């Protein structure tokens, strides 16, 4: 019974929801000695497992792993009967946990939160329920689940049907007997795919209305996997810890086999093994690159389509069941038991809504563009307003009365998926921006709950009253969440991960795809750094260490980790010859860069001897003349050659449509300053004089370079201006060296750990130029006369010691009246933008560079 409304109850914490997360949260809060009230809409514990009682409902993570790990004794007392337990068994488990820890006494069932308001003077939340209760609490924790708010059926006439209507997500507790009935199922996501084979067993006629075919693999359900049971028996703690620090919350060995380069035999073997295993993280781990590389993804997708065609006898139906409009894994793949086989049954019909869309639900059944169907029952398996639906529906309004719905009108915004600015002391468990639905939920839930409990314990110990993220920290996290998604194929799909299944919902990638391990690390670091990015207040206290926990592009961070693990010696500890040899070896393993029309090598007459060059002609008619770009490679005047920057030159050529000529100038220490710069200038003069032979349009000549190559390109522009020719249309300077001053803040911030270090830069300068020459504009173009120089595009990278001198050059050029386009490579290092085919997040930057190069020349 709900309590009368008159006297507000007071608790330290109110938790909304008594599913997996709410139950464990209650357990942990009790351990801290806090008073807690859990409010639960349902009549019992269980959350998603209370509501989703449709036939065939099971988990899709092996139950050995889809289980609490906080209580080792519990693990001894409970044995799962199958690899993938049924909904009744999982619900029974949660009841068992609630009883074992006596949790029910703090849970109020059949009580739905209808609103929550932050009371700033009181520093309390005021919670109201549908029973008219008002509760005050210091902390409000939403444990309302990611897939708990059913999507309303957005189908014309949905209320008109006179027969029985069922939702998989609200299946009647007493069960449903569909024996002998004519049944429609709308929707072929996980709920539809799990329930259809069992509904087909009862129904006289089953008609499945499919809008989008889905990838599904056989679950091969049965006894719990022996290998997992063995590992658990051997060392339970080690196994659980491996799960906590794994990418998806299930311990697996991530493959490093690439789909694009693996042999056909290896591809087949890996796929068949994953198919036979029947596990989500197995089929997502056939190739290391299937989530980011369309070609690798296509291989797995096509093998699944082959399987569908081999199972379903009618080729037309098989084809209609083959997913082709999204990459495999970008929508949640399903695990099934006899799903595709069901379509071979004579009483089962598939209606392809892409060919004949539903026009309306009628009193008798469903009318499509082509046919009218009569039914006794319609089952909606149409999904959820995922991740944000339940949070927004609970009508929370924070400081200044702004509601979550208003704040998130353009998409959710959170710090770590745990909190959101303007909502003090308001926590979300597995909220948007956390790994949640992309992971084994139980592992993610335990991590969230433990972090929140640790936070509240810390606040109590420190006498603090409120906690709230800062705008800077939250914006940084949102950016990181989107950066992680952007390097994958996920944003290309119309999935519920993207909010695309709910009409009008903003399209934003909702969960954090960086991995359970990376996420845990970030959360731990935030806490260890005194709750970085949070503002904490208490009597006489107002503390805030503001900042962004992850600023680096995720794939750049991965490359750095990989290089650190490879144990490459710092280049500056080697001789020039050994450093060159080492770089040559590492270059061999790179992807080659994009195809271009033609690549030819030749030599240029330099000031003292010939200089090798490599010419890249864009694809297209070979006879047409193009703008010409003279490119100079990076390598601190010491390293690099025509091969070192080959992928980047291909990329620049393909993107800009210009002929790119890469020049191998003379290197230090064999030949020191100013040889490299003079070579560059000579090469530009030669190109101008021989433009037509090179396929270039006379008078349309630009220079480009990366790092020290950008240095000599910039110097060439100054020398050309001084010599009154040749005319240079533009200068593209990628992370340029323009000064020898190492005192700028970017050296202090980035001088260690990002490949180009202060020590390496010193090594380069020492090899190239005497200290007395380092202020010469031919070594440090920032010190030259900048008037009348060609327009410039300057690229700077956040984690580059040279960042600030690049910015300084841009500002100085602008001050001298030179048009400048300054491109910030956000989250990149000195080298990462140039890593074509390796660092995916560099592609948008290079697209901008390619556009800038094209803009140097008149439109064709
Ligand atoms: O929902 P869904 P779900 N007209 O959104 C179709 C978890 N889960 O409940 O793709 C016609 O995936 C819609 O079509 P389309 C799991 O994470 C886990 O099945 O939008 N059709 C789609 O086919 C899962 O991903 C398990 O074109 C309409 C279907 O309905 C998530 O919950 C079991 C329509 C909805 O699929 C959601 O799964 C079950 C319309 N107007 C669920 N509107 C486990 O195994 C929607 N559809 C643990």
């Amino acid at each position: 019974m709900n309590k009368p409304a008159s006297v507000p109850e007071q608790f330290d914490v109110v938790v909304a929801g008594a599913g997996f997360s709410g139950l464990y949260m209650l357990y942990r809060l009790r351990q801290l000695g806090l008073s807690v009230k859990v409010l639960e809409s349902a009549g019992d514990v269980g959350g998603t497992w209370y509501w989703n009682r449709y036939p065939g409902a099971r988990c899709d993570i092996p139950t050995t792993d889809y289980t609490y790990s906080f209580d080792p004794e519990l693990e001894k007392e409970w044995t799962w009967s199958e690899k993938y337990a049924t909904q009744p068994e999982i619900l029974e488990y949660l009841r068992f946990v609630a009883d074992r820890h006596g949790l029910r006494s703090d849970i109020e069932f059949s009580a739905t939160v209808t609103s929550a308001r932050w009371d700033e003077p009181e520093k309390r939340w005021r919670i109201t329920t549908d029973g008219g209760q008002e509760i005050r609490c210091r902390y409000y924790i939403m444990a309302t689940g990611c897939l708990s708010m059913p999507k309303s059926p957005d189908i014309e006439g949905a209320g008109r049907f006179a027969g029985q209507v069922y939702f998989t997500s609200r299946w009647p507790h007493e069960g449903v007997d569909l024996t002998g009935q004519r049944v429609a199922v709308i929707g072929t996501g996980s709920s539809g795919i799990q329930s259809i084979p069992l509904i087909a067993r009862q129904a006289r006629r089953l008609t499945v209305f499919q809008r989008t075919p889905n990838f599904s693999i056989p679950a091969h359900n049965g006894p719990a996997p022996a290998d997992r049971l063995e590992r658990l028996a051997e060392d339970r703690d080690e196994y659980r810890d491996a799960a906590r620090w794994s990418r998806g919350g299930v311990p697996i060995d991530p493959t490093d086999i690439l789909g694009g380069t693996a042999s056909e035999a290896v591809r087949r073997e890996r796929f068949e093994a994953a198919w036979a295993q029947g596990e989500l993280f197995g089929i997502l781990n056939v190739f290391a690159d299937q989530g980011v590389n369309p070609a690798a993804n296509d291989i797995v997708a096509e093998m699944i389509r082959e399987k569908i065609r081999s199972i379903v006898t009618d080729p037309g139906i098989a084809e209609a069941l083959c997913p082709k409009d999204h990459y495999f894994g970008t929508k949640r793949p399903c695990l099934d038991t006899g799903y595709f086989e069901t379509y071979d049954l004579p009483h089962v019909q598939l209606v392809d809504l892409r060919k004949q869309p539903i026009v309306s639900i009628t009193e008798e059944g469903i009318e499509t563009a082509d046919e009218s169907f009569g039914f006794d029952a319609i089952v909606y398996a149409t999904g959820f307003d995922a991740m944000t639906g339940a949070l927004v529906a609970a009508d929370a309004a924070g400081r200044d009365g702004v509601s979550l719905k208003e704040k998130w009108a353009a998409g959710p915004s959170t710090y770590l998926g745990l909190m959101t600015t303007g909502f003090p002391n308001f926590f979300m468990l597995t909220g948007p921006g956390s790994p949640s639905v992309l992971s084994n939920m139980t592992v993610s839930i335990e991590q969230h709950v433990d972090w929140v409990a640790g936070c509240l314990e810390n606040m109590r110990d420190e006498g603090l009253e409120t906690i709230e993220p800062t705008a800077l920290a939250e914006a940084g996290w949102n950016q990181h969440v989107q950066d992680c998604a952007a390097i994958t194929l996920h944003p290309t799909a119309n999935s519920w991960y993207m909010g695309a299944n709910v009409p009008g919902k903003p399209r934003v990638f909702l969960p954090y795809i960086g991995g359970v391990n990376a996420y845990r690390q970030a959360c731990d670091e935030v806490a260890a750094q005194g709750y970085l990015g949070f503002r904490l207040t208490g009597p006489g206290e107002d503390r805030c260490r503001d900042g962004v926990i992850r600023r680096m592009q995720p794939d750049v961070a991965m490359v750095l980790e990989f290089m650190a693990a490879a144990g490459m010696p710092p280049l500056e500890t080697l001789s020039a010859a050994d450093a060159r040899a080492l770089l040559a070896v590492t270059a061999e393993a790179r992807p080659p860069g994009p195809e271009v029309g033609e690549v030819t090598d030749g030599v240029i007459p330099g000031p003292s001897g010939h200089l090798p060059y490599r010419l890249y002609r864009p694809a297209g008619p070979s006879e047409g003349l193009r703008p010409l770009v003279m490119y100079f490679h990076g390598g601190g005047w010491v390293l690099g050659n025509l091969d070192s920057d080959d992928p980047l030159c291909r990329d620049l050529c393909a993107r800009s449509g210009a002929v790119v000529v890469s020049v191998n100038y003379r290197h230090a220490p064999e030949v020191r300053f100013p040889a490299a710069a003079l070579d560059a200038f000579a090469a530009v003069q030669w190109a101008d004089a021989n433009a037509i032979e090179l396929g270039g349009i006379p008078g349309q000549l630009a220079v480009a370079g990366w790092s020290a190559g950008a240095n000599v390109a910039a110097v060439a522009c100054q020398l050309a201006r001084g010599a009154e020719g040749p005319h240079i249309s533009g200068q593209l300077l990628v992370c340029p060296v323009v000064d020898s001053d190492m005192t700028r803040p970017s050296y202090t911030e980035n001088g260690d750990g990002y490949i180009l270090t202060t020590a390496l830069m010193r090594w380069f300068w020492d090899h190239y130029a005497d200290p007395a020459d380092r202020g010469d504009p031919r070594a440090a173009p920032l010190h030259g006369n900048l008037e009348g120089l060609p327009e410039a595009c300057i690229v700077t990278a956040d984690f580059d010691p040279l960042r600030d001198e690049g910015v300084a050059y841009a500002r100085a050029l602008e001050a001298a009246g030179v048009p400048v386009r300054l491109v910030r490579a956000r989250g990149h290092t000195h080298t990462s933008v140039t890593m074509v085919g390796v660092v995916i997040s560099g592609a948008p930057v290079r697209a901008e560079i390619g556009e800038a190069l094209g803009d140097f020349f008149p439109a064709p």
Side-chain angles (χ1 to χ4, degrees):
M1 273 295 280
N2 294 326
K3 302 219 165 45
S6 51
V7 186
E9 290 183 281
Q10 302 270 357
F11 291 93
D12 293 322
V13 190
V14 164
V15 178
F20 261 103
S21 57
L23 290 178
Y24 181 46
M25 192 76 248
L26 170 57
Y27 172 85
R28 290 288 274 118
L29 293 169
R30 274 191 185 169
Q31 277 186 330
L32 296 178
L34 295 168
S35 62
V36 189
K37 167 74 91 184
V38 178
L39 298 169
E40 168 56 63
S41 302
D44 199 355
V45 299
T48 199
W49 301 106
Y50 175 91
W51 295 107
N52 289 269
R53 298 168 184 243
Y54 60 85
R58 292 174 186 273
C59 57
D60 58 4
I61 300 285
T63 358
T64 38
D65 300 80
Y66 190 78
T67 194
Y68 286 125
S69 71
F70 70 88
D71 178 359
E73 290 308 308
L74 169 70
E75 288 201 53
K76 283 187 200 149
E77 286 179 29
W78 184 272
T79 306
W80 295 102
S81 66
E82 291 179 278
K83 174 180 171 189
Y84 297 111
T86 59
Q87 171 270 332
E89 188 174 357
I90 302 173
L91 183 57
E92 198 43 46
Y93 168 74
L94 290 169
R95 287 188 178 131
F96 176 74
V97 173
D99 292 339
R100 181 182 153 77
H101 291 289
L103 298 176
R104 287 174 194 278
S105 56
D106 287 328
I107 306 174
E108 186 154 336
F109 294 106
S110 306
T112 302
V113 174
T114 49
S115 78
R117 296 285 176 271
W118 174 249
D119 184 335
E120 179 67 23
E122 291 287 318
K123 307 244 181 301
R124 292 278 189 288
W125 281 96
R126 280 187 284 120
I127 313 284
T128 49
T129 70
D130 56 351
Q133 269 176 295
E134 187 176 321
I135 305 174
R136 301 204 167 212
C137 57
R138 182 166 306 283
Y139 301 105
Y140 177 33
I141 301 178
M142 300 287 282
T144 42
C146 296
L147 293 155
S148 46
M149 174 63 64
K151 192 180 89 129
S152 52
D154 46 354
I155 304 177
E156 171 66 27
R160 224 179 286 157
F161 183 58
Q164 295 299 316
V165 172
Y166 303 105
F167 286 83
T168 49
S169 55
R170 292 289 180 271
W171 203 254
H173 286 202
E174 60 282 10
V176 177
D177 186 6
L178 295 167
T179 307
Q181 297 197 18
R182 298 164 305 153
V183 182
V185 174
I186 304 176
T188 50
S190 299
S191 305
I193 283 177
Q194 284 186 333
S195 58
I196 283 165
L198 291 170
I199 293 174
R201 284 193 200 164
Q202 291 189 337
R204 171 158 59 92
R205 205 183 75 206
L206 169 63
T207 311
V208 177
F209 291 84
Q210 169 192 272
R211 190 163 64 184
T212 310
N214 235 321
F215 289 101
S216 185
I217 67 162
H220 300 305
N221 201 19
D227 55 336
R228 283 178 206 278
L229 291 178
E230 262 167 44
R231 269 185 78 181
L232 275 163
E234 249 168 49
D235 192 341
R236 191 202 77 95
D237 292 347
E238 184 277 330
Y239 186 87
R240 297 292 180 219
D241 214 46
R244 289 181 194 115
W245 288 101
S246 67
R247 206 175 149 71
V250 177
I252 60 165
D253 294 326
T255 183
D256 55 8
I257 293 173
L258 299 177
T261 50
S263 69
E264 180 53 33
V266 169
R267 290 172 181 170
R268 179 59 61 183
E269 186 195 323
R270 288 196 58 76
F271 173 76
E272 292 294 345
W275 184 266
Q277 184 197 32
E279 290 191 20
L280 196 53
F281 288 116
I283 198 77
L284 292 170
N285 186 41
V286 175
F287 305 126
D289 55 345
Q290 70 189 61
V292 295
N293 175 0
N297 192 288
D298 281 345
I299 296 167
V300 182
E302 189 50 32
M303 287 182 179
I304 297 176
R305 287 190 285 262
E306 274 172 23
K307 291 284 187 191
I308 297 171
R309 292 179 189 120
S310 74
I311 297 169
V312 182
T313 310
D314 182 313
I317 299 173
E319 220 43 49
L321 288 165
C322 283
K324 289 175 196 145
D325 78 334
H326 62 279
Y327 290 110
F328 173 64
T330 56
K331 283 185 155 194
R332 174 83 166 198
C334 310
L335 295 188
D336 71 87
T337 303
Y339 173 66
F340 293 113
E341 289 82 347
T342 303
Y343 291 94
D344 267 4
L345 299 174
H347 68 296
V348 176
Q349 183 187 2
L350 179 72
V351 176
D352 183 349
L353 297 180
R354 302 273 178 207
K355 292 202 175 124
Q356 46 168 322
I358 296 177
V359 176
S360 169
I361 309 276
T362 63
E363 215 172 298
E364 293 79 31
I366 296 177
E367 197 179 306
T368 67
D370 294 350
E371 269 174 271
S372 287
F373 299 83
F375 294 112
D376 303 309
I378 297 180
V379 174
Y380 288 96
T382 42
F384 300 86
D385 182 352
M387 299 211 69
T388 55
L391 292 168
V392 166
D395 186 26
R399 186 179 291 117
D400 307 324
V402 175
S403 71
L404 209 51
K405 190 175 179 183
E406 287 162 339
K407 182 179 170 188
W408 288 3
S413 173
T414 71
Y415 185 32
L416 301 169
L418 283 163
M419 296 194 82
T420 186
T421 57
F423 291 73
N425 295 1
F426 173 84
F427 293 89
M428 295 163 278
L429 302 179
T430 66
S434 77
S436 57
V437 290
L438 295 173
S439 67
N440 176 0
M441 284 297 273
T442 55
V443 170
S444 285
I445 283 168
E446 287 193 333
Q447 184 270 342
H448 273 212
V449 168
D450 289 339
W451 194 93
V452 172
C455 173
L456 299 196
E457 186 176 17
N458 176 69
M459 289 180 67
R460 186 188 57 193
D461 293 350
E462 307 247 335
L464 296 163
E465 287 176 336
T466 71
I467 179 166
E468 184 187 341
T470 68
L472 177 75
E474 183 165 311
W477 185 254
N478 291 334
Q479 184 67 64
H480 179 58
V481 170
Q482 296 310 314
D483 285 347
C484 289
I487 60 172
T488 73
L489 298 171
H490 270 85
T492 62
N494 286 322
S495 63
W496 58 258
Y497 296 138
M498 289 292 295
N501 66 328
V502 176
K505 191 166 172 173
R507 283 190 68 123
V508 181
F509 193 71
L510 296 166
Y512 175 66
I513 202 169
V516 164
N517 45 1
Y519 176 78
R520 180 181 291 272
Q521 182 71 34
C523 290
D524 287 356
E525 282 177 33
V526 164
Q529 292 177 38
Y531 290 91
L532 177 77
F534 284 104
R535 183 163 172 229
L536 296 130
T537 67
E541 278 269 17
D542 187 348
R543 60 169 97 145
C544 175
R545 199 170 154 230
D546 207 356
V548 171
I549 188 68
R550 291 285 178 267
R551 289 167 49 231
M552 187 171 279
Q553 291 287 349
D555 48 356
V556 175
M558 274 188 258
V559 167
L560 289 175
E561 275 167 32
F562 178 80
M563 292 179 81
M568 263 175 64
L571 292 175
E572 67 272 17
T573 60
L574 305 178
S575 67
D578 286 348
R580 286 170 191 158
L582 181 61
L583 288 189
V585 172
T586 55
E588 278 170 20
R590 293 175 311 187
E595 287 287 324
V596 293
E598 190 187 359
V599 180
T600 48
D601 284 358
V603 288
I604 296 171
S608 38
H610 283 115
L611 303 173
Y613 75 82
R614 183 168 296 164
L615 182 145
Y616 302 83
R617 193 182 310 285
S622 56
E623 65 277 8
L625 298 181
R626 312 287 189 117
L628 196 57
V629 175
M630 298 302 287
Y631 175 84
F632 303 97
H633 64 76
W637 310 281
V638 178
L639 312 171
N641 51 37
L642 297 184
D643 293 332
S644 62
D645 291 28
D646 183 77
L648 179 62
C649 288
R650 287 169 177 275
D651 197 75
L652 287 176
C653 172
R655 287 181 191 278
S656 68
V659 171
V660 174
V661 178
S662 171
V663 181
N664 200 14
Y665 50 87
R666 285 171 294 163
H667 291 140
E670 291 84 356
V671 192
R672 288 164 60 88
F673 169 83
L678 298 183
D679 284 358
F681 181 47
V684 173
Q685 286 176 310
W686 171 82
D688 182 58
N690 296 279
I692 293 181
E693 290 79 355
L694 294 168
I697 302 170
Q700 292 195 18
L701 174 70
V703 296
W706 166 53
S707 191
N711 169 275
V712 298
V715 174
C717 289
Q718 294 192 12
L719 295 176
R721 189 267 331 271
E724 295 179 357
H727 169 74
I728 298 175
S729 303
Q731 46 181 328
L732 167 65
L733 311 178
V734 181
C735 304
V737 189
V738 288
D739 198 3
S740 58
D741 177 3
M742 297 190 186
T743 61
R744 291 189 172 86
S746 54
Y747 265 96
T748 320
E749 290 166 28
N750 309 316
D752 193 18
Y754 306 120
I755 301 176
L756 180 68
T757 59
T758 305
L760 181 57
M761 211 49 226
R762 208 167 274 132
W763 186 82
F764 285 143
W765 274 113
D766 289 347
H767 278 78
Y768 183 50
D770 292 338
D773 291 327
R774 294 180 194 176
D776 186 314
R778 292 171 303 164
L782 182 61
H783 298 292
N785 168 15
L786 307 185
E787 277 173 19
L789 287 177
E791 67 174 289
C793 172
I794 297 180
V795 181
T796 62
D798 285 1
F799 294 92
D800 183 359
L802 306 185
R803 178 195 68 206
D804 292 348
E805 64 196 70
V807 173
Y809 200 53
R811 299 285 169 254
L813 284 169
E814 276 169 347
V818 176
V820 178
R821 178 168 177 168
L822 185 60
V823 175
R824 174 184 166 203
R826 187 177 49 74
H828 280 274
T829 63
H830 183 75
T831 49
S832 58
V833 173
T834 69
M835 293 181 166
V836 177
V838 176
V839 174
I840 298 169
S841 62
V845 182
R846 290 194 307 277
E848 201 178 341
I849 296 172
E851 185 189 289
L853 260 184
D855 287 350
F856 288 153
F857 308 109

